[in-house]
Each structure stands twice: as C-alpha cells, then as structure tokens.
Amino acid sequence: GLVRFLDGHRPAHDLTYDDVFLVPNRSDVESRFDVDLSTVDGTGATIPIVVANMTAVAGRRMAETVARRGGLVVLPQDVDPAAVAEIVGWVKSRHTVWDTPLVLTGGDAVADALNLVGKRAHGAVVVVDEENRPVGIVDENACAGVDRFSRLSEVAEPPAVTLPLDTPAREVFERLHAAGARLALGVDGDGKLVGVLTQTAALRAEIYTPAVDDRNRLRVAAAIGVNGDVAAKAEAVLNAGVDVLVVDTAHGHQEKMIAALKAVRSVSPQVPVVAGNVVTAEGTRDLIEAGADVVKVGVGPGAMCTTRMMTGVGRPQFSAVAECAAAARELGKHVWADGGIRHPRDVALALAAGASAAMVGSWFAGTHESPGDLRYDEQGRPYKESFGMASKRAVAGRTRTDNVFDRARKALFEEGISSSRMLLDPARPGVEDLLDSICSGVRSSFTYAGARNVEEFYERATLGIQSAAGFAEGRPLPAGW
Ligand code: XMP
C-alpha cells in the first residue's frame, strides 16, 4: 500500500512531519490498551522505537532501560569492539523486570550517595552488607541537612518492601502502594539484592513487554561504519552477542556501503542487518539488494545535523520515509525513520508513512539514562549535552588513534553540532517517561485510525496536508497567553 491522503489533498512538494496531520477514521478499537505496538521488521522490538547510535545518547544504561520497555538501542560505531562486547555482556546479564540498583555499603559516606542518586530516575541508593544483602535505602531526602561525611549506616532507612524476583509486577505495585513506600527491593533465593522497582516501574512492567532474545535476555543492537575491514568488525560485534547489526554512514547510497553490506552478509547470513542512510526509492532498493533487511531513512532531519545547511542535500522526512517505505515493502522489507522526532505525533506520522520504527536521538539525550553528565545552566535547570556524530567533537573522539595532522584535517570538515544543551523535562526526566508519552500518543493515534497494530495503522491511516498555521493551531498555548 501507499500513504492515503484525504480527497483533494495532493502533495505539491515533499512534506515533513509538521506539514501533515491524521484525521480520525470510523473505528471499532475502543481502548489504547487494545493496541499492539510490536514491530514486524524482524528486529524484535515490541514498541516502534529505536535509540540512535549517538555517543551522547546510547550507552549501557539507555540500552537496558529501553529494552525493558521493548525498544532497541543501537550502540555507536566509535565504541571499540572490546568495549562493545563488555557492554553487550552487561546488558544481557540484566534482569528483564527489576532495574539495576545503585549500591553502596554502610561505611560509605553521604557524599558518595549524593554523587550517585542523580544517575537514576528513581533517585535512591541501596545499602548492602558484605554478602550483598540489602540493609537500607538512601535517597536525597534522607541526606538532606546531614553532614556529607556521615556514614550511610546512620541515615539509611530500613527497606519497607523486599520481595522475591518472581513476584508478579502487579503485586509489587500493590505492596508498595499499601506500604506507602517508593522502592521495592528484589532479592534472589539467598536474600541477595538483584534489583529495584518503583511503583511506576512495576506499572510499566505490566504494560510493556521487554525486547528479549531467544534466551530471554534483553536485546541490543550495535553500529559499524563502512570503512576498514568491515567483515572483521561485523564479526567482532556479532561475537559480542548483538541482536541487530546497523551499518551506518551519512551517505548510505554509495559503493562503499554496497561493498560493506556484502561483506557483512558473508559473515552473518542470519542476523537482521539495518543499513543507511538514504532518502530515495532507488537507494532503498540498492541497499536491500546488497543484503539489508531494514533501510534507515533520513538525510539532514536530525536535531544535531548541519548537512542540509552545509550541502543543500537531504529531503523532507515524511516524504522520504513514505517513498522509501513503499519501495522496501515491495521487496518484503522495512525502513526505520531516522531523525527529526521531537513529539509523539512524529512517531505516529513516521508509522503512517510506512516505517516499522522511528529512531530517536537528541530528544533522549536530555534524560537520566543518556551517558552524559548532568549539569545545571545559569537558571539552575538540569541539562545534558548532545552532539552530532559528524561534529568536530565526535570526529575528534573517533580519530583518537590517527596522527595529529589527520585528526585536525578530518575535524575541519564537520557536518554536525558540537554541543547543544538538552534540558531534562522536569515532568519527564527519565527516558521511560518519554517512552510513556510516545507510546500513549501512538496508541491513541491507532485508536483514532481504527488500527490494532502497526500494519493496520499503515493501511488505514488517512493524512491531510496543513499550513504552518494549521500546525501552530495544534500547539497548546503557553502559560499566561
Ligand atoms: P535526532 O533528531 O533524533 O536525529 O537527534 C538522530 C539522527 O541524526 C543523525 N545525525 C547526524 N546527522 N550530522 C548529521 O548530518 C551529525 O553530526 C549527526 N549526528 C547524528 C543520525 O542519523 C541520527 O540517527
């Protein structure tokens, strides 16, 4: 199928997400909970969200958190294979329901706990004994007004809810609610600490389905570039145990990419391979013919991209996705819509254009789970930095082993933003808060369209074309207008 426009709505030029809107269809889908968001592109994601392979966004913490909610995180290509192996091993050793705790001992200082609590959306550290058995919980409140050198044994509160790991999430939720406690501790048969769950996390565990491999371990993807010995790199990353391989370069429709895909296919006939980026049907077909299962679409829509301003190259993202998705589907394959996702509506529109998933980068940089350090701006608001993978900063990181002249030469030709402050949304500081908002928005879009799953949504979605004023009308008014 193709994208369906309202009668009389004919695109006179290429469109981006802001140019289009969805109209409600007659629907028999009554509830957002009757909707299945699972992808059908073979990558195993149970929600149509992939986290972009950007150094400022995708690390181990992002990977475990997003995979628990069914999404997929792509580790960036500038992580060396040994580090990829270590991260993948770590992600795959995580519990699929219980979150990884921050752990200290009673002899550690309050200052140690305060340094750590900002690293977790749940904002607490578990105090354990020498046997890794939990003895207390410390959060920011417990540390308030206390000397920074005090021992945690003096300030920790006894855990209110400690449960076996196989306790159903709903029961964890109810026990926390009854106890008026914020954090449940999950322990193994020996009483040793394995994980933590907040009430919200327990609720999410009932709503989302983790993205897991055939051994029930969390799924994770990794990217490689098209330079050097691609087959060796692909093999190293696959040996590390990644579930999906992404072959990524800014200009994906080039000979080097075709050769890289053939090299990858020679070492890994089975694993799903994603390749990009392209914005044309021809590019999509060429990458699929060379071995890609999923084609990554987007040149220049990304928040950190300067490609369009530097080169004039790119294509408005909605049309790019629609054309490439149609071409991929003719061959029984799929596309990911990569870049420019800033609202839940953009994900819905990417799916309406025919993408099997949307890739999100910078929007997720400003969360507790992104790898960057939490900083505070002049007004005291928390933020993290994002930067483009083609920026001077990222290039300098990638070329660490080059000689000084080559490093400088490569960094001179940047096509990305080196530093942009991504504020943590006070109402949604964790990536899971953003996933909740995206998934509830997209589930609702499905009910408006009368679709129960991603494929039905692509078939049924009816779109219109709007002016900038039409888009502006849909934005909530700012406070005090
Ligand atoms: P968002 O908008 O989610 O987009 O941040 C993520 C995608 O942006 C691309 N990307 C770049 N493109 N120069 C570019 O032209 C860059 O430095 C750059 N960094 C990331 C990439 O496709 C990513 O998935």
Side-chain angles (χ1 to χ4, degrees):
L2 285 170
V3 173
R4 237 179 19 171
F5 284 103
L6 282 170
D7 286 345
H9 287 235
R10 293 264 168 284
H13 45 68
D14 276 355
L15 304 168
T16 195
Y17 298 131
D18 290 3
D19 292 322
V20 293
F21 60 90
L22 288 157
V23 290
N25 291 339
R26 181 166 173 159
S27 170
D28 63 351
V29 184
E30 283 166 22
S31 157
R32 283 184 280 181
F33 296 100
D34 294 339
V35 164
D36 178 3
L37 292 183
S38 301
T39 58
V40 290
D41 58 15
T43 57
T46 64
I47 59 172
I49 303 292
V50 180
V51 179
N53 43 309
M54 292 169 67
T55 309
V57 183
R60 69 181 67 212
R61 178 71 188 139
M62 185 66 78
E64 68 158 332
T65 310
V66 171
R68 264 193 207 101
R69 303 298 165 231
L72 199 61
V73 173
V74 186
L75 302 172
Q77 55 267 49
D78 50 6
V79 181
D80 70 74
V84 171
E86 196 266 318
I87 296 171
V88 171
W90 185 86
V91 170
K92 294 209 169 275
S93 70
R94 301 299 88 197
H95 199 277
T96 58
V97 176
W98 295 83
D99 193 9
T100 303
L102 295 165
V103 176
L104 288 172
T105 64
D108 289 318
V110 163
D112 300 322
L114 285 173
N115 282 339
L116 284 179
V117 287
K119 293 193 191 295
R120 286 289 187 279
H122 62 249
V125 170
V126 184
V127 179
V128 297
D129 65 14
E130 313 76 59
E131 306 282 305
N132 196 33
R133 293 197 180 91
V135 293
I137 297 176
V138 177
D139 59 14
E140 261 171 355
N141 289 340
C143 298
V146 179
D147 184 89
R148 291 174 62 83
F149 299 104
S150 304
R151 300 283 148 222
L152 291 181
S153 53
E154 295 161 35
V155 300
E157 317 236 328
V161 179
T162 302
L163 296 166
L165 294 173
D166 59 0
T167 312
R170 186 182 173 123
E171 193 183 326
V172 178
F173 178 89
E174 286 162 356
R175 292 284 295 272
L176 279 169
H177 189 76
R182 240 174 56 75
L183 205 62
L185 307 184
V187 293
D188 66 15
D190 299 324
K192 295 181 201 255
L193 177 70
V194 173
V196 296
L197 274 181
T198 61
Q199 277 191 46
T200 312
L203 197 59
R204 287 178 179 135
E206 289 288 334
I207 296 169
Y208 293 89
T209 308
V212 294
D213 63 20
D214 52 10
R215 289 161 62 190
N216 199 37
R217 303 172 310 172
L218 296 175
R219 293 178 84 90
V220 57
I224 60 171
V226 295
N227 295 315
D229 188 345
V230 174
K233 275 186 204 162
E235 217 159 13
V237 167
L238 290 171
N239 288 341
V242 302
D243 300 286
V244 176
L245 187 68
V246 178
V247 189
D248 192 25
T249 188
H251 178 14
H253 196 195
Q254 58 161 315
E255 300 305 332
K256 245 187 190 171
M257 170 60 80
I258 310 279
L261 282 172
K262 288 181 177 156
V264 164
R265 276 303 176 209
S266 72
V267 296
S268 71
Q270 243 97 69
V271 72
V273 172
V274 183
N277 282 16
V278 304
V279 289
T280 60
E282 201 188 346
T284 305
R285 284 192 286 266
D286 284 350
L287 299 202
I288 289 170
E289 195 187 315
D293 300 302
V294 178
V295 174
K296 209 148 69 76
V297 176
V299 174
M304 298 297 121
C305 300
T306 56
T307 299
R308 291 199 195 156
M309 287 303 132
M310 292 292 286
T311 64
V313 176
R315 187 173 193 184
Q317 184 69 347
F318 181 84
S319 296
V321 172
E323 180 176 310
C324 296
R329 281 161 182 276
E330 271 175 21
L331 301 170
K333 304 287 183 182
H334 292 274
V335 305
W336 285 353
D338 177 22
I341 302 286
R342 287 168 306 204
H343 307 283
R345 79 184 290 281
D346 301 336
V347 177
L349 294 167
L351 299 178
S356 63
M359 209 176 200
V360 183
S362 295
W363 193 14
F364 290 176
T367 61
H368 279 292
E369 290 77 13
S370 67
D373 290 327
L374 196 60
R375 296 177 205 279
Y376 294 87
D377 70 5
E378 296 73 12
Q379 287 131 44
R381 296 174 302 180
Y383 72 90
K384 290 192 179 184
E385 279 190 344
S386 183
F387 53 94
M389 294 307 287
S391 68
K392 211 169 264 186
R393 174 158 164 185
V395 172
R398 260 201 304 279
T399 53
R400 273 184 306 264
T401 54
D402 290 10
N403 64 54
V404 282
F405 182 81
D406 278 349
R407 274 187 87 173
R409 192 171 59 105
K410 286 178 188 168
L412 207 55
F413 292 144
E414 59 173 349
E415 270 179 37
I417 309 269
S418 269
S419 172
S420 177
R421 292 177 176 187
M422 304 303 295
L423 289 175
L424 264 72
D425 179 348
R428 299 187 189 88
V431 71
E432 295 174 280
D433 301 318
L434 299 180
L435 292 177
D436 287 347
S437 142
I438 292 171
C439 291
S440 72
V442 173
R443 281 173 179 272
S444 195
S445 306
F446 280 30
T447 66
Y448 277 111
R452 284 190 168 72
N453 56 52
V454 173
E455 288 307 280
E456 277 184 26
F457 186 63
Y458 178 54
E459 271 163 38
R460 298 187 56 111
T462 310
L463 292 126
I465 299 169
Q466 67 188 352
S467 64
F471 179 74
E473 183 187 52
R475 284 186 168 259
L477 284 163
W481 63 282

